[in-house]
Every structure is written in C-alpha cells, then in structure tokens.
Amino acid sequence: MRVVILCGGESPERDVSLASGRSVARALLERGHEVVLVDPAAMEPVMAGPLRPGDVLDGGVVAKEPPALAEREQWRQRMYAALTGGPVLELLREAEVVFLALHGGWGEDGHVQALLEMAGVRFTGAGSAACAAAWHKGRGQAVLGAAGLPVVERHLWQPDDGDVPQAVERLVATGPVVVKPVADGSSVSVYRIDSLSQLAQVAAEVRSSGVELLVEPFLPGREFTVAVVGDQVLPVVEIELTTPVFDYAAKYQPGAVSEVCPARIPPDFASRLQDLAHRAHRTLGFDGDSYSRTDFRCDSRGEPMCLEVNALPGLTDTSLLPLAASGADWTYPELVQRILDLAMR
C-alpha cells in the first residue's frame, strides 16, 4: 500500500511529531508498504521518499530547525499552501491513505483534517469535528461534564486581558492549582502554582504570549491514561511521577517518570477507567474508525477525573499509546497497521 506520512508541522511538539513520523515509517516499511514522509511546514515540503527500510532506522528525516512561536503563523501559511495545491497535494491524492503523525497545533486541532476532507483524501485518526472538540481543553471538559463524566472545576484565563481574574485568585487561595495552555499538547508550559505571589510571577511570564490558559485545582492522586483504538479499549497505563506535574520535560526526559502497563490497580477500578475513556472517546465524536487517549488524575479521595482526550497521541517508540498497545500484546508495527486498517474501512 502507498502511504504518505505527515509529520513535523508548526507546533511546539514539532520534534515529537518528527520522531513519531520516523517510528511509523519504520513500522510501515517492515510491513511492506511504500512510504513517503512529508513535513508540510518545511520549506522543502517533501522530506524523503519513497523510503527504503535503511533510510529511517537511524532517525533519518532531515528537517529545518523548528520556528520560534512568533513565526508559527508563517509556517501555518506554508502548511496551508502545501495542503491545498501543488506537488504535496498531488502526492496526498495519489496515496491510498495519509497517516497523520502530526501533534499539536494545526495537526491536532482539526485544521489539517478539514483540509484533507475537502480534498477528498483518506487519512488516519478522527475527523475535523472531533479533533476540534477535543483540542480546546476548556470546551472539551465542558462537553464531558455535561455528559456526566467526572471533570474538575476549571476557569479560562486570557493573560492579555490585564489583571488576574478574581475567580482564579479565589481558586489559588483554596490550594495548589495547575495552569496550562487551553490548546496545546505534550504538556508544554504547564505550571503548578501554590501561592498568589507565584501566580503573579507566572502571569508576568505568560502575559506577553496572549495564549488562553486553563486553571484547575491540582489533583494530588495517581495519574492514569487509557487508549481506545477503534472499538477496543487498551489496558490502563499508570504514570508515576518524580516531578510535581507531568510537563514536557517529565514526558521526554529519561528517568523523570515511570510508566507502568498494565497499571497495578484492582480490576474493577481498571474497568471503570476503561469505561470512562470509551465514553469520553464517543462523547467528543470519535467513531469506531479512529483512536484516542484519555488522561485521568485522581483527587484526594482517589476518584478519577477526566483531564483531556488526545486526538493524535504520540507514536514515538517510547510514547504512551505504544506502551498501552504492548499491554494488549500488540507489537508496535501491529498497532500502526491497526490504525491504518481503521482508516481503510
């Protein structure tokens, strides 16, 4: 099968996306597929391909340096141009399926999916509507809460509005809170705040960015994640932290976190988490042809709360979705093939 992998992109998760693309390419080549790797945000859109097995075994996608956040709009314009005309679009239309290994930004918020839908191109993962619903953490949690899933109290905060909202100050006065971008992935720019003075310091750091923030109580309990692939719910993964929050450094710095699959929890609690993940998957519009990963953290009573649903979770060799798949006795190439098969149904 001829497969084009889209990876890279314009988000802060660009490096992770490139790593996912390389891992997916190795797996597809092992399965005998014809593979082309495309970075739609790069100056040279077609990065490599067709590939041979030896081309990517040592991380062989050569890419430009990722842009500063201020340059992201320019990179988005290049992505739009690449996906709506010229040789990249022709390459996508010639493929039997496009494998999306984009994380964050346009790759996960529904923009790329909408462009591919309009072009009539078959692709892996959820459609544009489900991706958009899941990407904005505030709106996603509101939908989940309205459907009866457990979510925490939350406040949206626009730092460029000026003063810290009174609702946020009141929440900080009751105990530690977590502040994070309302629409970003890989736990980029996640802060734990324990005092009003620390809140003011963080506000000064993020005010210039103009990024909308989500503020919610810090949950002191255990952390879990559950993946759904098609209609199959995978074993629960527990994330055991050595840091206060599961931020970008903890995710990708060796030794900062221990990830256990299957989680060492009672079977009835595991089933409960799996049921919640499947309900969250369906509530946000993910169908039986897509996949997702739902993150949970427990409160002081041990009750799990839904934090977010990830539409395009990481697919690096050490990411959480492949770990969950291994708990179901799937090899990494089997996981990638299953995702591909779902898109072809």
Side-chain angles (χ1 to χ4, degrees):
M1 183 183 299
R2 183 174 175 81
V3 183
V4 172
I5 302 171
L6 288 184
C7 61
E10 46 70 48
S11 86
E13 299 178 74
R14 174 180 170 81
D15 289 345
V16 181
S17 176
L18 289 169
S20 286
R22 291 192 290 267
S23 296
V24 170
R26 287 194 292 268
L28 292 177
L29 290 166
E30 182 179 316
R31 287 267 166 166
H33 298 288
E34 181 182 346
V35 178
V36 177
L37 229 56
V38 175
D39 178 355
M43 290 298 290
E44 298 85 9
V46 181
M47 300 305 297
L51 300 177
R52 299 163 298 177
D55 290 340
V56 291
L57 291 179
D58 57 354
V61 178
V62 179
K64 301 284 185 183
E65 286 296 313
L69 292 181
E71 299 175 308
R72 286 178 67 179
E73 184 57 35
Q74 297 177 14
W75 283 60
R76 286 171 177 165
Q77 291 174 8
R78 286 203 286 266
M79 289 180 70
Y80 181 83
L83 297 173
T84 56
V88 170
L89 181 58
E90 289 305 311
L91 188 64
L92 299 179
R93 284 176 167 160
E94 292 170 1
E96 293 175 72
V97 64
V98 173
F99 199 111
L100 292 181
L102 293 164
H103 309 312
W106 271 27
E108 201 165 352
D109 69 1
H111 274 87
V112 168
Q113 290 80 0
L115 293 174
L116 295 178
E117 287 164 355
M118 288 188 289
V121 173
R122 185 190 302 270
F123 58 89
T124 60
S128 59
C131 289
W135 180 241
H136 190 285
K137 297 180 180 69
R139 289 195 289 268
Q141 283 189 337
V143 172
L144 295 176
L149 281 90
V151 295
V152 297
E153 176 187 1
R154 62 202 171 278
H155 296 282
L156 298 181
W157 174 21
Q158 288 282 5
D160 56 357
D161 287 344
D163 294 336
V164 177
Q166 290 185 353
V168 172
E169 290 185 343
R170 286 195 297 267
L171 190 61
V172 173
T174 64
V177 302
V178 173
V179 176
K180 55 191 173 185
V182 77
D184 250 326
S186 277
S187 301
V188 174
S189 301
V190 174
Y191 300 88
R192 171 178 163 162
I193 294 177
D194 297 284
S195 66
L196 289 173
S197 60
Q198 189 181 2
L199 176 65
Q201 179 182 351
V202 170
E205 291 178 7
V206 301
R207 183 170 286 121
S208 61
S209 70
V211 174
E212 186 179 15
L213 299 174
L214 184 71
V215 185
E216 58 192 19
F218 172 76
L219 299 175
R222 299 166 75 178
E223 188 156 347
F224 303 97
T225 190
V226 183
V228 179
V229 178
D231 288 317
Q232 184 162 349
V233 185
L234 300 185
V236 178
V237 177
E238 179 167 11
I239 302 160
E240 298 177 346
L241 298 175
T242 59
T243 58
V245 292
F246 193 33
D247 59 8
Y248 187 89
K251 280 190 174 184
Y252 303 110
Q253 180 178 326
V257 64
S258 174
E259 297 157 348
V260 181
C261 184
R264 295 184 287 262
I265 53 178
D268 59 339
F269 186 51
S271 296
R272 183 181 174 194
L273 289 171
Q274 289 174 310
D275 177 65
L276 288 172
H278 192 253
R279 286 174 56 196
H281 178 90
R282 289 295 193 173
T283 296
L284 292 182
F286 292 78
D287 58 23
D289 297 334
S290 58
Y291 64 103
S292 70
R293 201 197 74 229
T294 300
D295 298 335
F296 300 90
R297 186 145 179 151
C298 296
D299 63 15
S300 57
R301 301 169 299 157
E303 290 295 310
M305 299 289 165
C306 295
L307 300 180
E308 63 178 297
V309 177
N310 300 271
L312 284 179
L315 285 168
T316 70
D317 294 335
T318 58
S319 292
L320 292 165
L321 176 55
L323 176 61
S326 69
D329 295 325
W330 300 354
T331 66
Y332 183 90
E334 286 172 341
L335 168 64
V336 171
Q337 184 65 54
R338 284 172 184 261
I339 293 172
L340 200 65
D341 291 342
L342 290 173
M344 296 300 295
R345 291 205 308 194

